[in-house]
Amino acid sequence: MGKNGKVEEDWESDLSPERFKVLRMRCTERPFSGKLLYNDEKGVYICAGCGAVLFRSESKYDSGSGWPSFMAPASEEAIIEREERSHGMTRTEIVCGKCGGHLGHVFDDGPAPTGQRYCVNSLSLEFQKIE
Ligand code: FE
């Protein structure tokens, strides 16, 4: 039994196949394919798995990477970082602090003042506009 009392089969039936692959199987969407990549409306980015608020539009910037990029999470608890060793690299995976869904990775080549680049799959996110 996972967080939120959900087993992986529940996630598979609740999410679209594309979102399931990213959020639960930790796949990466193709760069420049995400719907939210160039979204610059004012609002919040929530977890496509559980609805938790993950990022705010004020922190979004264009990193040129092909994935939505943020310089900071919405709150300290929003995101959990995990060391990941795969493909011969050590990277820092980021997951939703509430449901554990895979979001992407964080790198230390972001802009000032944080210097952080939260590189996130658009499929892991939903956008809620704030008027
Ligand atoms: Fe979540």
Side-chain angles (χ1 to χ4, degrees):
M1 197 73 94
K3 285 188 184 174
N4 285 8
K6 273 196 185 187
V7 295
E8 291 307 310
E9 289 76 9
D10 296 332
W11 286 113
E12 193 163 11
S13 56
D14 289 355
L15 294 169
S16 70
E18 294 77 18
R19 289 197 196 277
F20 179 76
K21 271 188 226 159
V22 172
L23 281 164
R24 308 311 307 181
M25 300 188 74
R26 302 158 84 197
C27 291
T28 300
E29 71 193 14
R30 281 180 300 107
F32 300 101
S33 71
K35 276 186 193 157
L36 296 171
L37 177 56
Y38 295 119
N39 181 46
D40 60 0
E41 292 194 291
K42 188 170 184 249
V44 293
Y45 292 83
I46 65 172
C47 175
C50 74
V53 174
L54 301 176
F55 300 99
R56 300 183 196 286
S57 54
E58 291 82 353
S59 298
K60 192 170 187 283
Y61 75 103
D62 185 0
S63 69
S65 66
W67 292 281
S69 300
F70 302 85
M71 56 186 90
S75 66
E76 240 177 76
E77 322 79 69
I79 306 285
I80 293 171
E81 300 186 3
R82 290 184 188 153
E83 188 173 291
E84 174 193 285
R85 290 164 195 274
S86 63
H87 312 293
M89 304 179 270
T90 301
R91 294 185 295 176
T92 304
E93 181 193 12
I94 49 175
V95 303
C96 173
K98 190 174 167 196
C99 75
H102 174 77
L103 306 173
H105 296 85
V106 60
F107 303 93
D108 59 7
D109 57 6
T114 67
Q116 300 293 293
R117 171 169 60 99
Y118 291 80
C119 185
V120 185
N121 289 281
S122 185
L123 283 167
S124 298
L125 301 171
E126 279 181 18
F127 179 69
Q128 280 182 351
K129 194 172 173 173
I130 295 173
E131 299 298 338

